[in-house]
Amino acid sequence: MLKIENLQVNVGDKNILQGIDLEVKAGEVHAIMGPNGSGKSTLSNVIAGKDGYDITQGKMTFLNQDLTTLEPEDRARKGLFLSFQYPVEIPGVSNIYLLKAALNAKRAEDGLDEIDAFDFLQLVKSKMAELKMDEDFLYRDINSGFSGGEKKRNEILQMSLLEPKLAILDETDSGLDIDALKIVAEGINRLRSADKGIILVTHYQRLLDYVQPDFVHVLAKGKIQKSGDKSLALTLEKSGYAGIND
Amino acid sequence: MQQHLIEQYQQHKQNFVGYKDEWLVELREEALAYFLDKGLPTTKEEHYKYTNLNKLARSSYHLSHASSSVSKEQISNRVINTSNNILVFINGYYSASHSQIVESHNNLYIANFATALKEKNKLITNYLGKQVSLDNSITALNTVMHQDGAVILLDKNVKVEHPIELVFIHHDDDKSMQHVRNLVIASENSQATLIEHHYALDESEYLKTIITEIDSGANSQLNYYKLQCENKNAHQLSQLDVHQHQDSHFNYMSLDIGGKLIRHDINIKLLSSNATCQLNGLYIAKSKQHIDNHTCIEHQSPYSTSMENFKGILDDKARAVFNGRVIVQEGAIKTNAQQNNANLLLSNDAEIDTKPQLEIFNDDVQCAHGATVGQLDEQALFYLCARGIDQQQAKTLLTFGFAKALINAISDSRIRHKFTELALSKLDAEQLIQESF
Ligand SMILES: Nc1ncnc2c1ncn2[C@@H]1O[C@H](COP(=O)(O)OP(=O)(O)OP(=O)(O)O)[C@@H](O)[C@H]1O
Ligand SMILES: [Mg+2]
């Protein structure tokens, strides 16, 4: 469903992605690992449509459509979801409003009516229960004053509600305690199915113990240096990124 | 303007409120002399540096006419609650038929100025012109020509149950002027909520001056709300003078969405110990609107507190001014004065001049001020869009979100609702009303 070919991206004059090739098919889980500053978030943001990146070369399609011509909101409505490495605090806009507006935007795209207010509340509360989130979070402003772990869980709540076709989770496991990691992993596994794709950006094996990837890629210096199956992650865990470039 | 004002004064003086009260006629003429001498302030004067009244000074305005073409619905649509105490002024003249006093007893007096001058002559004589000295041209202009206004007198321990709404409606020819004079005396331990509304029913150009004097007695609690929704050709120059006594609380919150040129002077004197004031304001301006809030808080006694929080949203070529002057006198130890002014600029051509002005004459104080000018947060915008919310909607959400906390600080739900509704309509975001409640 996602196909990236020779993607090259600059920020200012800095060449950050230097030719990425990646294909994610329905039903697959891909893990992307790599040292700090190697371009993992850049890749995630470019896929989601964030401004400020200059795509100098390459192609990027989602469900056979050229992604580069779509606004971020259109990408989201078509089923692309990015769980942010650093979810943004948005004072003055409540979480419940965002959840409802996001869901309705997607429903409109799918030709459905707005969800009934009561049904929505039932639905979102059941998702929150799965993630062991207190209902108070609905009425708080988006991520405002949330702890690091609470923000990540809130991202997964949005994902569970929107049921995207392709989810990119940028270090959603970072900053989670042991129990929360398990809860979040269960959330990801609930999404996992034959018609959905998942990209896990992570530094740690522990998430991959719960959500076993079909492929593992190592992104370093703006390129995918190595790809393999889940055993590659275990190798990295032992010996680090040294020697990966060769 | 000066020459024209003499003609207007001569033409109308026989009809003015209190034209038979010698002291008032003298006061008007003294004010006229002052105005003829000084004229409107110019940008050469420090406190009018950013607000240019030149065009106004060159124009001639005639005294407003009474109008009988305002329906009851045009009022009831606009007030906060039709079961409140409501005083309606159309083009500056009191309209008894549109007004209603739902609470009246011996210890509470709510009337228009003309009536009060007859019924409470001595008291009015004592107050008027005593608190407001003829030290500026706007006061002078208003004093010469004032037509009517509200007089509210709360005796000791009176707690007014229903808010008192003062509704000022404009519906007149081009180039009319109206001058409003309000007086509120809240005696010891009294409580009331007042709401001052301004609306226009047409697009004609006009000038309105308003002077409101408030005496806030010991341990009194007053909430004062101002909703300024003048039309796009309106000029409003207003001055609010509050004298606060021991342990009194004065809460002020304004919303400015209308007008072409708006200037508010809010002067608070914390005369006795432990007096507290909270001044909040939200201004939202578009096209070429100009909105100027000048506040001056004078701490004269120990343990007094002032909290100030003004926020502005400016789009297109709109311009706003915030000047927050705080004076802490020598004896006013343990003063706590906090001031904040935050502005959101939605266009490159919008402009804000914000200036704190602290004059502190003792060391034992806690004073802080902050001013910010910013744009919409790009990260937040992307976050919302990445969830499928379209860009325009996301901008509106963030813009309203910027102001929301200030509006939500209004404790009365009906009043809060009204502020929300008006702010959202100014932002073309009526659809967000559900989100707010
Ligand atoms: N807006 C920007 N301006 C300048 N440099 C940028 C910008 N965005 C990213 N970079 C640089 O691009 C490189 C890749 O950053 P990116 O955030 O994609 O790394 P990452 O792989 O996600 O790292 P981490 O594991 O620490 O999250 C870094 O060197 C970063 O400093
Ligand atoms: Mg990153």
Side-chain angles (χ1 to χ4, degrees), chain A residues 40-234:
Chain A
K40 303 180 298 297
S41 294
T42 303
L43 177 62
S44 308
N45 289 337
V46 168
I47 297 171
K50 192 175 180 183
D51 265 353
Y53 299 99
D54 194 8
I55 300 177
T56 53
Q57 266 199 62
K59 281 206 321 205
M60 196 166 52
T61 61
F62 176 56
L63 303 170
N64 298 320
Q65 278 185 65
D66 179 10
L67 265 185
T68 54
T69 57
L70 290 179
E71 295 295 328
E73 56 267 37
D74 296 321
R75 301 182 196 198
R77 290 170 190 179
K78 291 192 188 302
L80 196 71
F81 181 88
L82 170 63
S83 170
F84 287 67
Q85 181 175 3
Y86 303 109
V88 187
E89 300 202 8
I90 309 185
V93 185
S94 68
N95 224 3
I96 187 168
Y97 183 86
L98 171 66
L99 290 163
K100 201 169 166 191
L103 183 60
N104 280 329
K106 181 169 172 274
R107 287 173 65 94
E109 177 82 16
D110 297 343
L112 298 171
D113 286 344
E114 283 198 4
I115 189 166
D116 169 82
F118 181 78
D119 294 343
F120 169 73
L121 219 54
Q122 294 290 101
L123 178 65
V124 74
K125 284 182 178 175
S126 74
K127 300 290 184 192
M128 292 181 94
E130 287 173 356
L131 296 168
K132 301 204 165 54
M133 277 178 85
D134 200 297
E135 283 171 21
D136 289 354
F137 284 107
L138 278 180
Y139 304 101
R140 286 173 62 179
D141 288 346
I142 302 166
N143 298 324
S144 289
F146 288 26
S147 76
E150 287 166 350
K151 285 178 183 165
K152 296 302 178 71
R153 217 184 284 209
N154 200 36
E155 295 289 288
I156 295 303
L157 172 64
Q158 296 173 25
M159 184 190 79
S160 311
L161 190 75
L162 296 173
E163 300 182 324
K165 297 194 179 85
L166 176 73
I168 304 166
L169 307 178
D170 190 359
E171 290 198 35
T172 304
D173 55 334
S174 298
L176 291 178
D177 68 43
I178 301 159
D179 296 333
L181 179 69
K182 208 170 154 205
I183 292 166
V184 162
E186 283 164 4
I188 300 169
N189 281 328
R190 270 192 297 275
L191 185 78
R192 189 171 189 171
S193 64
D195 59 343
K196 300 204 185 293
I198 297 174
I199 297 174
L200 301 173
V201 174
T202 182
H203 287 295
Y204 306 108
Q205 174 60 35
R206 49 179 205 163
L207 175 68
L208 305 181
D209 289 339
Y210 291 113
V211 186
Q212 302 221 340
D214 302 302
F215 301 93
V216 175
H217 309 279
V218 180
L219 179 60
K221 297 186 178 154
K223 271 191 168 172
I224 292 188
Q225 306 285 355
K226 197 162 191 171
S227 296
D229 61 11
K230 63 185 179 192
S231 65
L232 176 58
L234 291 166

Side-chain angles (χ1 to χ4, degrees), chain B residues 224-236:
Chain B
Y224 200 100
Y225 297 97
K226 177 162 177 167
L227 293 162
Q228 186 278 106
C229 314
E230 306 281 16
N231 77 19
K232 62 175 197 276
N233 298 309
H235 307 80
Q236 186 189 109

Side-chain angles (χ1 to χ4, degrees), chain A residues 45 48-50 72-73 76-77 81-84 87-88 90-94 97-98 101-102 105 142-143 155 158, chain B residues 377-393 397-398 400-402 404-405 431-432 434-435:
Chain A
N45 289 337
K50 192 175 180 183
E73 56 267 37
R77 290 170 190 179
F81 181 88
L82 170 63
S83 170
F84 287 67
V88 187
I90 309 185
V93 185
S94 68
Y97 183 86
L98 171 66
I142 302 166
N143 298 324
E155 295 289 288
Q158 296 173 25
Chain B
D377 176 355
E378 290 294 333
Q379 305 291 335
L381 208 53
F382 175 62
Y383 187 88
L384 294 174
C385 292
R387 296 295 175 254
I389 294 173
D390 76 53
Q391 173 134 348
Q392 192 49 50
Q393 167 93 343
L397 273 171
L398 294 179
F400 183 62
F402 171 80
K404 205 168 127 189
Q431 77 279 5
L432 292 185
Q434 268 102 14
E435 133 83 340

Side-chain angles (χ1 to χ4, degrees), chain B residues 218-282:
Chain B
N219 204 38
S220 65
Q221 288 201 27
L222 289 179
N223 298 313
Y224 200 100
Y225 297 97
K226 177 162 177 167
L227 293 162
Q228 186 278 106
C229 314
E230 306 281 16
N231 77 19
K232 62 175 197 276
N233 298 309
H235 307 80
Q236 186 189 109
L237 308 172
S238 84
Q239 185 175 318
L240 172 66
D241 289 279
V242 185
H243 285 190
Q244 286 191 245
H245 301 277
Q246 190 166 335
D247 297 317
S248 63
H249 279 253
F250 181 74
N251 292 318
Y252 174 89
M253 167 79 192
S254 63
L255 174 68
D256 279 291
I257 56 174
K260 178 181 183 190
L261 188 158
I262 302 292
R263 163 69 177 240
H264 304 305
D265 281 280
I266 302 162
N267 305 316
I268 312 279
K269 285 195 163 78
L270 301 165
L271 300 171
S272 310
S273 63
N274 219 19
T276 299
C277 72
Q278 171 87 51
L279 302 184
N280 289 354
L282 173 62

Side-chain angles (χ1 to χ4, degrees), chain B residues 292-353:
Chain B
D292 177 350
N293 276 286
H294 260 67
T295 67
C296 178
I297 300 171
E298 193 177 336
H299 290 259
Q300 295 190 357
S301 284
Y303 296 98
S304 54
T305 301
S306 65
M307 298 284 170
E308 221 176 336
N309 193 3
F310 277 73
K311 284 192 168 193
I313 298 170
L314 306 174
D315 204 350
D316 307 323
K317 293 187 166 174
R319 191 166 177 189
V321 181
F322 176 79
N323 190 97
R325 187 172 176 204
V326 176
I327 306 164
V328 181
Q329 298 294 12
E330 204 179 331
I333 53 155
K334 307 286 180 199
T335 282
N336 182 4
Q338 312 287 328
Q339 181 186 92
N340 196 53
N341 175 232
N343 296 281
L344 180 61
L345 301 188
L346 299 175
S347 108
N348 291 332
D349 297 325
E351 192 179 329
I352 170 79
D353 292 291

